[in-house]
Amino acid sequence: MLAAALALVAGIYAVDTLPIGGFYDDAFYVILAKSIATGQGYRNLNLPSAPFATHYPPGYPLFLAALWKIGPAFPANLILFKVANAFFLAVVAACAYRLGRERFGLRSGVALIATVAGTVTTPALFLSSMLMSETMFLALAVPYLLWAEHQVTRDERDVRGAILLGACAGLLFLVRSQAVALVGAVALVYAIRRRWRECALTIGAASIVVLPWLLWVSAHDAAFPALMRGDYGSYFAWFKDGIRERGLGIVLQTLRRNVPDMFISVAHRMRPPANPLPDVVSSICLLLFAVPGVIRAVRRAPVSLVFMGGYLAIVAIWPFQPVRFVLAIWVLIMLVVALGAETLLDWRSPNVSWHRTNLRLTARIAGSIAAFILAGGLVAYNVRGYQRRWWATTEDQSGRWIQPKKAWIATQTDTSAVIATDHDEGAIYLYTGRHAVPVTTFTAAEYVEGRPVDLDSTVLQTLAGYFHAQYIVLSSPRLQPAAAAISSAAVPLGDGVHKVVPWAFTLNRHASR
């Protein structure tokens, strides 16, 4: 109850009234919720003709749609949505504490500290304060792990339990696709225990639950141009396009980039921002706790550990910035680190020989130093993070260039206009009511090798022409020459103070065709 209360207070404290759309996905979750709540189906309402959506699984939009029915006034209902995320965070904290106590075997004080470090700190608030599906997924996944650990490690066989585990993991897949790691974790632990029938039933039940969504994606994915697949189409087709373009080498290139970034994204948040110690010191300290934590978790919480391993493996090979996905399981990472710390600092363990005594003394000294560095770093990092509200940085910075766009579009364009914009079309639609389309694209291959400017120009002109856009509103200076080449008028927006000043371009008739 204490862990949940602290997380709830922190989650509500992080709620703000900043406009959504800065993180891109948040605006689309709201668009899809609006589409469901207003009886229009599961559609991308921002696009002309409102094609069916296939990029985002429907779990989180369905939840937001239910809240939309309670508070249908936009943007006032955004506060309701964000407060709901704070309650999800409280559920995460309560269940994570139980997972730490019951499965990881942590002492009550250590479990509480680890849970607070995983839910009340800025890394957790970064996602919970925005309208993203990660917090809802974690609020369902952590209690699922508690249940799965008990179900899978019990001695007697339980066919019905295996089917229910698979079906529930399939439902979690409909919130976030990374739940495939949950299915794999349960099935693998069953297989290791030679419970083959339960392993097969888990996979089969999950597949049956997920199949309708996969069929939906297959039926409607072709509604989008191939250039838009990265933000609107199937994840699998997008990844397959990257392999087709660059070969299997793209996986190795992504691993080389993502694995160090994943590790540093944790270590950096456990060192003071103004500390003479470099990231490598906190990285060594983190490894010192992570290794024994993983070793102990193998026996105590195998399903949780395999899930984390599978989840992080997906993140490692996925051609996208990994930080967001690492922070999505921050509380589980804190539990593993706490388990390793408790292992090294446990003074109650008996010493049976002189050599073992020296070995354990060395481990305790090293563990004490590492604990001091990481705990001090985590506290200092988050004191500064709370002072500066770091969790809101993305929304705040994005709002600086979205706001002048919204103001210009609302006053200078007709409600039937089609606006082409760079990576904030969801926000433009929600706040102005105009159809808004992208002029940028993101492919898997671009993640490992940047795209030349001339290809960016081709994409802009192709997408603007495809949707018959009348205006292009840009924040990126990189795209401005391409827009100017097909426009009949251009107007700088904003106050000229910020480094990024949006421009609005009116397209000539030939360009819009």
Side-chain angles (χ1 to χ4, degrees), residues 122-123 268-273 376-386 390:
T122 53
H268 179 73
R269 287 165 174 80
M270 300 189 75
R271 63 175 284 266
L378 188 66
V379 170
Y381 182 92
N382 283 282
V383 166
R384 193 171 178 182
Y386 266 79
W390 277 345

Side-chain angles (χ1 to χ4, degrees), residues 339-361:
L339 184 59
E342 189 178 81
T343 302
L344 290 183
L345 300 175
D346 189 356
W347 289 84
R348 300 174 301 173
S349 300
N351 298 310
V352 298
S353 68
W354 179 84
H355 176 72
R356 183 179 176 88
T357 300
N358 281 346
L359 181 63
R360 288 204 60 81
L361 181 61

Side-chain angles (χ1 to χ4, degrees), residues 78-91:
L78 295 180
I79 298 296
L80 175 63
F81 299 164
K82 291 184 178 184
V83 169
N85 264 9
F87 279 92
F88 278 137
L89 191 64
V91 174

Side-chain angles (χ1 to χ4, degrees), residues 236-306:
F236 178 74
W238 176 80
F239 188 65
K240 188 170 65 174
D241 286 347
I243 294 178
R244 185 186 301 115
E245 184 175 345
R246 297 191 61 87
L248 289 174
I250 191 174
V251 175
L252 182 59
Q253 291 174 294
T254 303
L255 278 170
R256 289 174 178 169
R257 178 174 177 177
N258 279 4
V259 171
D261 286 352
M262 291 163 63
F263 192 79
I264 291 299
S265 66
V266 179
H268 179 73
R269 287 165 174 80
M270 300 189 75
R271 63 175 284 266
N275 190 324
L277 296 176
D279 277 341
V280 67
V281 175
S282 56
S283 298
I284 293 172
C285 295
L286 186 63
L287 272 176
L288 188 65
F289 289 153
V291 172
V294 168
I295 292 173
R296 285 187 69 185
V298 168
R299 187 178 74 257
R300 292 177 174 272
V303 178
S304 300
L305 188 66
V306 175

